[in-house]
Amino acid sequence: YDTVAYMAIPATVFLAPIALFVQKEVPGEWPKVFGKDTMSDWEIISGTWALNKTTMAWLILSGVFSFLYNIVQFSIVHTLSPSATAFGGNFNKAALIFLTLLLPFLRVHELPGPPYIQVIWGAVIINIMAFSYYSYLQIEQKKAEERNQAMKALKDADDSDEEDEDDEESSDAEGCC
């Protein structure tokens, strides 16, 4: 977890000059609000703070949530595997696309016509099936590893019992002569 937290400082140092000095075109109606056509990120944040402090509170809160999400993602990568984390991220996207296809009130845009919609449906279903099968294989692999460890533990216990019996037989044989 330290890696995630310690990377915040270097990232801030490297990105600060860009945020403070690089001028960008201000989109939409914002040039009328700010009175400028180009502004740096810092000028936009300062102007937003002056206009609406609640918006900036939401921005700061999203940063906290982002930091916590990164810590959770980092721990998942180290607990499971990077590929499982990547599959999980893709599964979330596929599930969201699937829900958007099924539920019309979630749609922002009209769906494309044939043959594109069939390609989208096929891709989403194959993605979900692939993730499900991958998860199944991971579970089966863990079960096999647990069985192997249990068998090894039983074998080690049997081997130690045989060694104890051999030791007793050899001490009996040595003692009687």
Side-chain angles (χ1 to χ4, degrees):
Y1 305 116
D2 293 345
T3 305
V4 175
Y6 292 148
M7 286 308 296
I9 295 169
T12 302
V13 169
F14 286 122
L15 293 174
I18 296 168
L20 292 172
F21 302 115
V22 175
Q23 298 282 318
K24 296 176 236 3
E25 187 176 327
V26 183
E29 297 294 314
W30 288 105
K32 294 177 186 173
V33 174
F34 290 125
K36 294 182 178 179
D37 288 333
T38 60
M39 297 175 75
S40 69
D41 291 336
W42 178 252
E43 290 172 320
I44 292 170
I45 289 174
S46 300
T48 306
W49 176 263
L51 293 172
N52 191 344
K53 291 177 179 37
T54 306
T55 301
M56 294 308 296
W58 285 111
L59 179 72
I60 292 167
L61 186 63
S62 76
V64 171
F65 284 135
S66 175
F67 181 74
L68 293 175
Y69 175 78
N70 286 337
I71 288 176
V72 168
Q73 185 115 11
F74 185 79
S75 65
I76 289 172
V77 167
H78 285 282
T79 303
L80 299 174
S81 69
S83 58
T85 306
F87 262 120
N90 286 338
F91 182 79
N92 290 346
K93 292 175 188 98
L96 181 61
I97 292 169
F98 186 70
L99 287 173
T100 304
L101 290 172
L102 284 179
L103 305 170
F105 61 87
L106 291 176
R107 294 182 192 149
V108 177
H109 303 288
E110 194 62 34
L111 295 176
Y116 305 108
I117 192 66
Q118 288 88 354
V119 171
I120 292 171
W121 271 103
V124 168
I125 290 169
I126 290 170
N127 190 312
I128 291 172
M129 288 172 42
F131 179 74
S132 300
Y133 186 65
Y134 178 79
S135 299
Y136 168 76
L137 291 177
Q138 291 259 329
I139 291 168
E140 289 299 314
Q141 182 182 7
K142 285 185 181 182
K143 285 180 182 177
E145 287 173 2
E146 289 172 2
R147 281 192 300 264
N148 289 342
Q149 288 177 352
M151 295 286 280
K152 185 178 178 184
L154 285 174
K155 185 180 176 187
D156 290 344
D158 287 345
D159 289 346
S160 66
D161 288 345
E162 289 176 10
E163 288 176 10
D164 291 343
E165 288 174 9
D166 290 343
D167 289 343
E168 288 175 12
E169 288 176 11
S170 65
S171 64
D172 289 343
E174 292 171 3
C176 69
C177 297

